[in-house]
Amino acid sequence: MTDDVSAVVYDLDGTLVDLVVDWDEVARDVARVLEDHGVDASDADLWQMLDLADEANARDPVEEVIGEHECEGARLSTRLPHADELVECELPVGVCSLNCEAACHVGLETHDLAECVDAVVGRDSVATRKPDPEPLRATLRALGVDGNALFVGDSRRDELTAERAGITFEYV
């Protein structure tokens, strides 16, 4: 970890915990919700389905379906080694995730990490999602930090988010 930062923000799934989610099942369930709203999502991946849900004014029922899967997956999740680093961190700590905020809280509580985290921003906490920098910026604002932070994640999307926010990034 970089010594010259004033806060650390972690991605959740794949970084702190490993959610047990069958994403193909989630996509099938979301496609059914969209079909009920007159939207053909047969050629769309889950992220495209979220965009289609916005266009069809079906975001709430789609988020509900995804969130149910994520919360259950968070309850069944396994704790990853970076969670120990989070517990030992003496700086303000945040979580910025593509998972819904409720699933983030469930995952943190399941693994006794909630008290160590000062701010949580999920996919549904702000109007945009990673790799847009706004979720990370919102996390930093909630921590009372203006830049000078480290974002720890497990994907190219996380890295792009950090780059776009002007924040140092570290892969797990």
Side-chain angles (χ1 to χ4, degrees):
M1 185 180 322
T2 305
D3 291 333
D4 61 344
V5 298
S6 53
V8 180
V9 178
Y10 293 89
D11 172 51
L12 181 75
D13 189 21
T15 303
L16 297 174
V17 301
D18 188 15
L19 270 61
V20 179
V21 177
D22 180 341
W23 293 107
D24 291 335
E25 181 181 351
V26 176
R28 286 189 298 273
D29 289 350
V30 169
R32 280 192 286 277
V33 170
L34 289 173
E35 185 177 316
D36 291 345
H37 284 82
V39 177
D40 177 15
S42 57
D43 293 330
D45 67 19
L46 191 55
W47 302 118
Q48 293 166 329
M49 287 184 203
L50 280 170
D51 294 334
L52 291 171
D54 287 338
E55 294 169 13
N57 204 20
R59 183 62 176 252
D60 289 343
V62 164
E63 282 290 354
E64 184 177 332
V65 167
I66 298 171
E68 287 173 6
H69 282 278
E70 289 174 328
C71 286
E72 182 60 23
R75 281 189 267 298
L76 300 173
S77 65
T78 55
R79 182 174 165 145
L80 297 175
H82 268 75
D84 296 333
E85 181 182 291
L86 177 150
V87 170
E88 296 170 4
C89 187
E90 296 179 9
L91 299 171
V93 171
V95 168
C96 178
S97 178
L98 273 173
N99 301 110
C100 69
E101 186 174 332
C104 294
H105 287 289
V106 170
L108 294 170
E109 290 164 9
T110 297
H111 298 286
D112 297 321
L113 301 171
E115 291 182 13
C116 303
V117 176
D118 305 297
V120 175
V121 172
R123 174 188 64 251
D124 53 346
S125 303
V126 297
T128 61
R129 62 184 180 267
K130 299 185 301 184
D132 186 277
E134 182 52 28
L136 181 53
R137 289 180 181 147
T139 309
L140 295 173
R141 283 192 303 274
L143 292 172
V145 175
D146 187 21
N148 193 30
L150 173 66
F151 185 36
V152 181
D154 68 323
S155 70
R156 176 68 180 136
R157 182 182 294 256
D158 291 333
E159 184 179 32
L160 281 172
T161 303
E163 286 174 11
R164 292 173 179 175
I167 301 301
T168 304
F169 180 75
E170 179 181 291
Y171 270 104
V172 294

